[in-house]
Amino acid sequence: MQSFVLLLPLLLLALAGRSAQQDTLSALADPHGYNIVRYELSTLSEKLSYRLLTPLRGDIPDERRGRESAVRFFQLRGDANRARRELDAAVALRRAPEDIAPIEARLAALERQIEAVRPQVEYVLERDLRQTLVEQGLGGSLLGARALFPPVQVHFASLPNVLIVSLRDRIQLRRTFLLDDSLSLAQMEQMEAQVARENLSGLVERVGGLATYPAIISDSARLDSTLTTSAHEWTHHFLAFHPLGRAYWSNETMTTINETVADTVGGEIGREVLRAYAPPPAQPPAPTQQDGASAAPRERDVFSFSREMRATRLQADTLLAQGKVDDAERYMEERRQFLAEHGYYLRKLNQAYFAFHGTYGGSAASVSPIGGQIAALRARSASLAEFLRAIASVGSVDDYNRLLIRMGVQ
């Protein structure tokens, strides 16, 4: 889904503390758990090898060649995504093997080309993100040179799934379990059904990025979302060394503050880096009036996913507060079908969905005022660095409220 960035910052720390709980949910999730240790060992080894061997070969690209290589990489990735959709359609339509084979061969060739340049493109994007973060005042000095801590480290890979568990009678995140990336749809639905038998709301989704180190970034995303997600994840890495990041799991409010700050920084840095790859699009001419009517549609006539999703969340909350759990669940399913009619396809819309996506203050699934408050704090800050350093010092809800007062945010 492009409307939301699905992230589980610092999840490794959370899971390490919870994996020993031998309860029903753990027993359900553990056989399908994502192997973070294996990921860390293999990825760090690859990164170290590339950093050591590439300079010896004299193969480090300059900025221009590096960005050209990155643009080509994402073009290949787009071709591969289209080939996958074509293959899925051919299989679904029961096409003959001789018709499917050429598509499979084309996809395999594209994947080989992508993998051949992936380490270099990761290096190029890390370099551009690091440079922009330092230019924004978030770096320091090391031996007379500008440096950034922690360093930007990303890895393009197939993303894990996550099992999200919420209460049924109210939207409240209870547990999250990081799961293997190869789960089938049948396995997902089976896990969700088992969660439901515990009188809880469950949902299995693929995350959009993960703040391991190096951060896992989707291997099928576009350049713009890759940059934004990478900067978002670096923000979590940065905050882990400050009170705000360390308080991530203390309560829902601190989780939402962390995620909203990461969204704010990630969006701003991602857009800034993207400028080096493509000029901003030309602004369309202002709409003109013809025969006394505006050429642009009225706002209320344009379908808005954010508006409809926010209305859905509010009504679901109302029904749950009245104790009408079954009515709320029927309503959310009706709204899921309504969204699908307008081109927004959600596999499931339930309490767990809102509990997870609601941790992002700027999300349409959130009813928290934190999104607007964080936006106001950023607007009142002289720079991104000033904003991030001020909010990073917040270690509790009381600290946060004091910062809002000090900055004049209501």
Side-chain angles (χ1 to χ4, degrees):
M1 283 192 333
Q2 296 301 316
S3 301
F4 304 100
V5 179
L6 309 181
L7 298 169
L8 289 180
L10 306 179
L11 187 57
L12 176 57
L13 297 177
L15 289 175
R18 294 176 175 178
S19 60
Q21 298 178 5
Q22 297 301 317
D23 58 16
T24 303
L25 295 176
S26 295
L28 171 64
D30 286 351
H32 305 282
Y34 184 78
N35 193 327
I36 292 181
V37 173
R38 183 173 60 193
Y39 164 79
E40 293 284 356
L41 291 175
S42 63
T43 306
L44 288 172
S45 174
E46 177 191 293
K47 290 280 188 182
L48 181 61
S49 175
Y50 182 84
R51 292 299 177 100
L52 291 176
L53 297 180
T54 303
L56 296 178
R57 295 195 300 262
D59 196 28
I60 296 179
D62 58 26
E63 285 190 355
R64 182 184 62 79
R65 289 193 303 113
R67 288 169 184 161
E68 288 174 351
S69 176
V71 169
R72 176 57 182 156
F73 172 86
F74 283 96
Q75 289 172 343
L76 288 170
R77 181 180 278 184
D79 292 341
N81 289 340
R82 285 186 287 274
R84 289 189 192 96
R85 290 193 293 270
E86 186 179 348
L87 179 61
D88 289 343
V91 171
L93 293 171
R94 304 290 196 274
R95 294 280 169 80
E98 57 269 25
D99 294 329
I100 293 176
I103 306 173
E104 292 177 324
R106 175 157 43 93
L107 177 58
L110 287 166
E111 288 175 338
R112 286 193 296 271
Q113 293 180 66
I114 290 168
E115 182 59 24
V117 295
R118 176 189 53 76
Q120 182 186 87
V121 174
E122 290 175 357
Y123 174 86
V124 168
L125 264 59
E126 289 167 354
R127 183 175 62 186
D128 285 344
L129 285 161
R130 178 176 65 250
Q131 179 177 320
T132 300
L133 287 162
V134 169
E135 289 172 351
Q136 292 292 320
L138 290 165
S141 178
L142 179 64
L143 301 178
R146 292 193 301 174
L148 183 71
F149 182 83
V152 179
Q153 288 285 303
V154 300
H155 177 63
F156 305 147
S158 178
L159 287 158
N161 291 293
V162 60
L163 170 62
I164 307 149
V165 180
S166 169
L167 298 178
R168 270 193 78 211
D169 59 357
R170 62 184 182 278
I171 294 169
Q172 184 178 97
L173 187 65
R174 300 297 291 173
R175 300 288 296 275
T176 54
F177 298 88
L178 200 60
L179 305 175
D180 190 74
D181 60 340
S182 61
L183 286 177
S184 67
L185 176 60
Q187 288 174 313
M188 294 179 184
E189 292 181 339
Q190 182 182 20
M191 296 179 86
E192 292 163 354
Q194 289 180 266
V195 171
R197 285 195 284 271
E198 299 295 318
N199 197 31
L200 296 166
S201 174
L203 176 66
V204 178
E205 284 196 351
R206 191 173 295 275
V207 299
L210 189 67
T212 48
Y213 195 80
I216 307 176
I217 308 298
S218 171
D219 60 0
S220 60
R222 301 180 312 186
L223 173 60
D224 54 352
S225 61
T226 295
L227 291 170
T228 298
T229 303
S230 298
H232 178 121
E233 297 293 6
W234 177 86
T235 306
H236 285 307
H237 294 158
F238 174 87
L239 292 175
F241 295 92
H242 296 81
L244 181 59
R246 291 194 291 270
Y248 184 95
W249 293 104
S250 59
N251 56 62
E252 289 186 43
T253 298
M254 297 307 293
T255 301
T256 301
I257 294 170
N258 270 273
E259 289 296 350
T260 309
V261 168
D263 271 352
T264 300
V265 176
E268 195 165 330
I269 293 297
R271 288 189 294 272
E272 186 62 30
V273 177
L274 189 62
R275 293 175 183 271
Y277 288 84
Q283 294 297 316
T288 57
Q289 290 193 348
Q290 299 175 352
D291 299 326
S294 172
R298 293 173 299 175
E299 182 178 350
R300 66 176 178 271
D301 293 334
V302 178
F303 181 85
S304 167
F305 175 86
S306 295
R307 182 177 65 240
E308 298 297 339
M309 183 59 78
R310 184 66 56 85
T312 303
R313 170 66 193 266
L314 292 171
Q315 179 62 12
D317 278 337
T318 298
L319 291 170
L320 291 171
Q322 295 171 352
K324 300 177 180 178
V325 177
D326 292 338
D327 289 347
E329 290 173 341
R330 280 192 294 271
Y331 168 73
M332 286 185 280
E333 171 58 20
E334 290 169 0
R335 294 293 286 178
R336 186 194 66 80
Q337 295 176 22
F338 169 74
L339 292 170
E341 291 170 0
H342 289 82
Y344 294 88
Y345 303 105
L346 307 178
R347 186 174 65 83
K348 185 166 289 189
L349 184 60
N350 60 7
Q351 297 91 325
Y353 176 96
F354 282 116
F356 184 63
H357 292 276
T359 60
Y360 301 84
S363 162
S366 174
V367 292
S368 169
I370 290 173
Q373 292 167 348
I374 295 296
L377 287 173
R378 174 63 187 98
R380 285 166 168 75
S381 301
S383 66
L384 184 65
E386 179 183 287
F387 161 76
L388 184 56
R389 291 195 172 106
I391 196 70
S393 67
V394 167
S396 67
V397 175
D398 287 343
D399 288 347
Y400 178 65
N401 289 332
R402 282 192 287 269
L403 177 63
L404 294 178
I405 293 170
R406 187 168 75 248
M407 297 292 289
V409 176
Q410 301 299 319

